[in-house]
Amino acid sequence: MAETDVIIPVYKPTSKLTDLLDRLKTQTCPVRRIILINTEKQYFDAFADREFWERYDNLLVRHVAKEEFDHGGTRNYGVSFSDAPYFIMMTDDALPKDDKLVERLLAPFGDEKVAMSYARQMPDKECGIIESYTRSFNYPGEPRVKSAEDIKGMGIKAFFASNVCAAYRREVFDELKGFCSHTIFNEDMIYARGVLDAGYKIAYASDAKVIHSHNYSGLQQLRRNFDLGVSHAEHPEVFAGILTESEGIRLVGKTVGYLCKAGKPWLIIRLFWQSGCKYLGYFMGKRYRSLPEWLVKRLSMNREYWSCL
């Protein structure tokens, strides 16, 4: 099996990070090195005691200041410490569902045109019913390999991918110059579009599973989607001409039907509230250049991003 490193940005680590590292230790395809890029050294120092360091002998930890963190640049920094032919990006709140995550993520690379594969995200046990259905909508049970020819029919879904858990062919990553070095959000999809435009393929490995979900409030959804809109506005070379709102409308319609079948129609009110917050955030994010600076910083989830411009 090919040598593989795992790269994980970390911020204010909890026991979930230890759980993640333990699960990576038991993979059927061994991980050579785990590279943690931690934001704010004092939080990691308070978390990692002597037992922690003795427990994991393949860790490399590097620290960045909060104002230095960037969704693309920080991940590029992590990749710079790896010379493996494949590497996996994860977030510190995602957990491998079983011991075959790495093996199944790497399997699509048997096709030499596949440059990237990403895992299926499963809801955790505390996940609400609406978020749980959203996970199944975005991460269905059927695998798929996507190419540039799929953009016309699939729209934005053709280059949908997530660094919550995604594997990369290093040779192509270097050829494409890595992630966008300064981006507020969506570094994974910006890169994925470049993969398709360069003639390579993206694999959705539905049998490679991680547990990852959020129960965001309406305000949190608004702020997250504001940053999403900003990234779309700042990268017209990726998103211009691609219909995105229609996919959101389709998700709402499917979720309404699901809630009715599940016997919980009263949750449709919550769905409409959350969906309205998402749309409002995205709408304002795409038009952030017309908003006052103080409002942009208030709406964004990534306030440090704006201080670096």
Side-chain angles (χ1 to χ4, degrees), residues 13-18 21 42-49 52:
T14 67
S15 60
K16 185 169 275 193
L17 176 62
T18 306
L21 297 177
Q42 69 268 26
Y43 298 126
F44 199 89
D45 288 345
F47 169 78
D49 55 17
F52 176 88

Side-chain angles (χ1 to χ4, degrees), residues 69-85:
F69 177 84
D70 180 88
H71 279 269
T74 299
R75 286 177 168 85
N76 285 336
Y77 179 57
V79 175
S80 72
F81 296 103
S82 171
D83 59 1

Side-chain angles (χ1 to χ4, degrees), residues 133 230 265 291:
Y133 183 76
V230 169
L291 302 177

